[in-house]
Amino acid sequence: MGLGWWVAVWLLVGGRMEGFVLVDSTSGMGAAPVVVAANATARTRESARGLADWIGKVCGETPRVVEGGWKEGALPERAVWVGVQPGVAELFPGVRLSFEHPEETLVAAGAKHLLLAGRDVEESDGPGEQGTSHAILRFLEEDLGVRWLWPGPLGTDVPRRPRVEVAPQERRFHPPFRYRVLHPRSPAEWHRAHHLLDDSLRFEANHSGLDWWERFHEAHPEYFALLPEGRRGFRRSARDVKLCVSNPGVSEQWLADATQRLRDRPGCKSVSASPTDGDGFCVCGPCRAMDHPGGAPVFGYLALKERDVKYWNGLARGLRERFPGREAWVGVYAYSAYRTPPLGERLEPNIAVGYVGNSPFASEATRRMEREQWLAWSEQAQAMVYRPNLFHYSGGFLGLPAIALRKTAEDLRFLAEHRCMGLEVDSLPQCWATQGVQYYLMAKLAYDPMQDVQALLEDYYRRGFGPGAEGVAAYFAVLERAQEAVLERVKLSSSWAREATAVFEEIYSDALWEESEAHLRAAEARVADGPAVFRERLAFVRTGLEAARLQVQVLRAMRRVRETRGRNPEAIEKADALCAARDALFKRYGGLAIHRVNWYVQTRHLEDYVDPPSEEMRAGRYKGPGAAPDMKARD
């Protein structure tokens, strides 16, 4: 029977077991040494040194780190043991020291010793597993109480505790999502602290064939899609060219490339077969014959439903023939014109599907539809990853307060309960002052989607803002309700980005900002006489409010400039002043509070909506916005 069972029995009969004292400066008891297993991975050794540093920050005394195991004869009277190593079995009788699940962690404490261990697997060219490192992170948060609310010193909350006692326990955990990515994975320190680095799975289903035109268009023009206008090629860019998937030569070439990749990288488990982005699918007779007659038309000229699944199935069978007994997946996206589940074709068992949705940043109707599609795919696919496009249509990339806490909690729990093995979010706008609580919640639930979300958020507000917690929680609740109203109005289409700005102007009204401001002022009043750190964090959040409010004012001012065709000097002067004030806030905190996402503005053709007036406008030659982006495939 394990240590946890004996603890439970002892407490049940009213006893009190002595806990492990990590450090007690009040009695002169120094910090227990940290003993690292001789076979520890490089990540584990680095994490152990980090553990000692954090203990020093919390307790004021940094423990000695002994790498390579204890070599001084008799075991130390007290110690923190990092990784399973000789002597640990005797110190923790009854505790199972083997690990059954990927990334499984163990935190075990007795009266004199503490064990932080996990399943560690090193791979030369794969992600491996770093269970012990994750166990250390769990201890830092759950037992030492460290919080990483947002990147940087201001967002890091370190309690000061002269005495740390860890209750007797045996605590195990393994994450349901083995692939945890919030793009971009920076700053790395914040992502690692939330278990978003050192995950144990790599899912490759990105748009493939980006170099095929360059490689093959001269020797094999028949590899490429026949377009409605009668030529084989591409619509926008060579990197977006589609393939003629009915051509056997295409499958043979993909399998040849995949075979070489898998042989060169023994740790590789999946190779992408997803089409490139955008329009331009093949209309040749054999490709059309692969489609299901019940498929709904897309792009106005064909009904894509089964062709890609039939193509993927052939590739999956080919991989199994070439690599019998090896884990080799065909990675694909359920996306764009091929997002809906197949009507008649069944997936081969070694096809891993990344479903590209929009939830939780979607209307209630869209969320229901996406759940139905997820369930239909998961009935066939043995491996599923959720890969949403977030913040694209919510105003998130404009720095607006894209907050969907309730929906995030519901959706990630749903995924965990329905065969999801990974999460890949594209992408965080890095606007931590307006959206930081959203990023924090997603990070927490990506590792443990079954947490008590209300308790998690209450802890975030309390640790971040002390006496101002209630006001900050109310502030973000107002913004979350506004975001829900936005999501019921916007269309999930990147070509609709301009029209969405009108929704933002309406929802984010002066009255809404005043309601939000009132809660923030109440929080500021509560922390006026307390620790300075709470005031500094509230100033950080206020920067987000000011920037978001200015962004909406810029949208309104630039609309006036467009309506007057740039011939109204007062409109241009007002837009200039608002843009300058907003851009000054972008630079505050080094861009950490509000990030200027230029690529989003450019790819959505929003320059005449959020940028300062152009030279054409100033010269009175403005004729209206340029062409909308041709990205309907993302709808």
Side-chain angles (χ1 to χ4, degrees), residues 284-435:
C284 77
C287 280
R288 282 181 176 273
M290 295 171 71
D291 291 330
H292 193 284
V298 294
F299 304 121
Y301 64 88
L302 77 168
L304 291 170
K305 182 60 71 170
E306 309 293 86
R307 70 168 65 176
D308 286 299
V309 176
K310 291 177 180 178
Y311 169 61
W312 298 335
N313 278 342
L315 303 182
R317 290 189 291 268
L319 277 190
R320 291 204 305 273
E321 292 172 0
R322 288 162 175 76
F323 297 94
R326 175 173 170 179
E327 185 179 7
W329 298 82
V330 176
V332 302
Y333 281 155
Y335 175 59
S336 180
Y338 44 94
R339 187 172 74 166
T340 54
L343 295 176
E345 193 77 0
R346 301 291 298 180
L347 291 175
E348 289 290 328
N350 59 319
I351 292 179
V353 178
Y355 182 83
V356 181
N358 298 280
S359 300
F361 285 92
S363 68
E364 294 297 340
T366 297
R367 291 173 70 220
R368 287 193 297 270
M369 178 271 290
E370 290 186 351
R371 287 191 179 196
E372 292 171 1
Q373 290 187 352
W374 175 275
L375 291 173
W377 280 107
S378 66
E379 287 176 359
Q380 297 190 38
Q382 296 188 17
M384 290 281 290
V385 167
Y386 186 53
R387 194 275 190 201
N389 283 321
L390 296 189
F391 305 101
H392 284 247
Y393 320 113
S394 61
F397 280 115
L398 300 182
L400 300 181
I403 306 294
L405 305 178
R406 172 187 64 84
K407 292 179 177 181
T408 298
E410 294 173 354
D411 291 345
L412 292 192
R413 181 178 284 265
F414 166 82
L415 293 170
E417 292 173 343
H418 294 92
R419 303 187 67 176
C420 184
M421 61 188 296
L423 179 70
E424 180 181 4
V425 174
D426 183 20
S427 294
L428 305 189
Q430 304 279 28
C431 297
W432 292 89
T434 53
Q435 303 160 17

Side-chain angles (χ1 to χ4, degrees), residues 395-396 398-403 430-439 475-476 479 513 540-549 592-595:
L398 300 182
L400 300 181
I403 306 294
Q430 304 279 28
C431 297
W432 292 89
T434 53
Q435 303 160 17
V437 64
Q438 175 68 33
Y439 306 161
Y475 165 76
F476 280 115
L479 300 181
W513 294 131
F540 181 82
V541 172
R542 175 169 285 284
T543 295
L545 170 63
E546 293 172 356
R549 181 158 44 191
L592 181 64
I594 298 290
H595 186 64

Side-chain angles (χ1 to χ4, degrees), residues 512-522 542 545 549:
L512 177 86
W513 294 131
E514 283 304 315
E515 183 181 3
S516 306
E517 172 76 27
H519 291 301
L520 210 53
R521 282 198 300 266
R542 175 169 285 284
L545 170 63
R549 181 158 44 191

Side-chain angles (χ1 to χ4, degrees), residues 20 22 32-36 51 55 78-82 114-116:
F20 169 73
L22 176 64
V34 174
V35 184
V36 186
L51 168 66
I55 292 173
R78 298 164 46 245
V80 178
W81 301 88
V82 174
L114 171 69
L115 174 63
L116 305 177

